[in-house]
Amino acid sequence: MDRKQRGFLVLALAFLLAAVGCGGPKVTSAPEGLSSQVSVQLNWYPESEHGGLYQAQADGTYADAGWEVDIRSGGRATPVAPELLLGRVEFAMANADDVVLFRAQGADVVAVLAAMQNHPRCILVREDSGVKTFADLAGKTLQRQTGRVFLDFMRSKGLLDHVSEVPYHGSVSALVTDRNIAIQAYSFAEPMLAEQQGVKVRKLMLSELGWNPYSSVLITRGDLIRSAPDQVRAFVQATRRGWIHYLEDPTRGNAAILEANQHGMTAEALEYGSAELKALALPNELPMESVGQMSAERWTTLVKQMVDLGVVDSEKVSAADCFTTQFLE
């Protein structure tokens, strides 16, 4: 299940910023501080990739810290950055490459926590397809959603030169019926759906190619960081505790997600997803204390990759401006 169409988001954000700059609709002024009521915009329908927020809400972590949190479901092409810039929400969820795109368009959006150290993006193939590496995709058909940066990355390495690309509509059905079909996927979602239909699959992880943006990133506006740093810190810390609790025991978080998701989510899918997600949040036996952390090296690498791909202009975005770890200390 892919999350957003890059082109739609960039156009929506560009329209918003242009409207503000030419005397059009004004962006709501940021409050001097945060009240105890906070809204968080998701970048997709509630799933295990948002588990830390739902866990913090379900087990009382937010309430104990004095927060009343409204978690707002996303969907296809959810305008995450515009919701932040218009002041409709104080926080949102995104991927690190989205943050780079937002900032390149002039949005003062900052990452404050990254739940997943390794990105779940993969290309999913059937085990009987003969595809064992990315190079083996030649001659196959890839169902993908246009406008995603990981596709630009694959093209830069020649991995899609002899691959037929067709639209992806959010279903594993074509893969199930045709072993020559590959699909874009998240490692904690589609594999289980395919295997439930009796098809064994193989995951080709983009992180192993070197494309590895942080995922399940909590973002906010720069002006909130400047005007209410203590409150931003308190919310980030509560959310981080929610993620730690979710990784330790996702039962309450998954129950809350299941109640919030009205788009075919199942308890089995959440159980599978939360188990797979733990390895992405804590790769290489990282300790639980590392949850949420980010490094300048990773952000610098990502921005350079996107500049090299021609996706963003190096003069319009700086890795140092994309994130802060000051609230994780």
Side-chain angles (χ1 to χ4, degrees), residues 231-253:
Q231 290 166 295
V232 172
R233 180 187 301 276
F235 185 77
V236 171
Q237 289 289 340
T239 302
R240 181 174 177 272
R241 287 194 294 274
W243 272 109
I244 290 174
H245 296 165
Y246 186 73
L247 294 171
E248 291 174 338
D249 182 358
T251 304
R252 291 186 177 182

Side-chain angles (χ1 to χ4, degrees), residues 25-37:
K26 298 295 183 181
V27 174
T28 303
S29 297
E32 290 301 318
L34 295 176
S35 71
S36 61
Q37 295 182 327

Side-chain angles (χ1 to χ4, degrees), residues 94-139:
N95 290 319
D97 52 319
D98 294 320
V99 175
V100 177
L101 290 170
F102 295 155
R103 293 201 65 87
Q105 288 294 316
D108 188 13
V109 172
V110 183
V112 291
L113 177 152
M116 280 190 265
Q117 296 294 307
N118 284 344
H119 202 286
R121 169 66 63 210
C122 67
I123 301 299
L124 196 66
V125 298
R126 287 173 45 154
E127 282 194 357
D128 62 0
S129 67
V131 177
K132 296 183 178 179
T133 70
F134 285 97
D136 297 330
L137 288 171

Side-chain angles (χ1 to χ4, degrees), residues 1-2 44 76 143 167-173 183 190 193:
M1 290 165 284
D2 207 289
W44 187 246
R76 296 186 183 278
Q143 290 192 344
Y168 174 67
H169 301 292
S171 171
V172 300
S173 59
I183 65 171
E190 284 86 355
L193 297 176

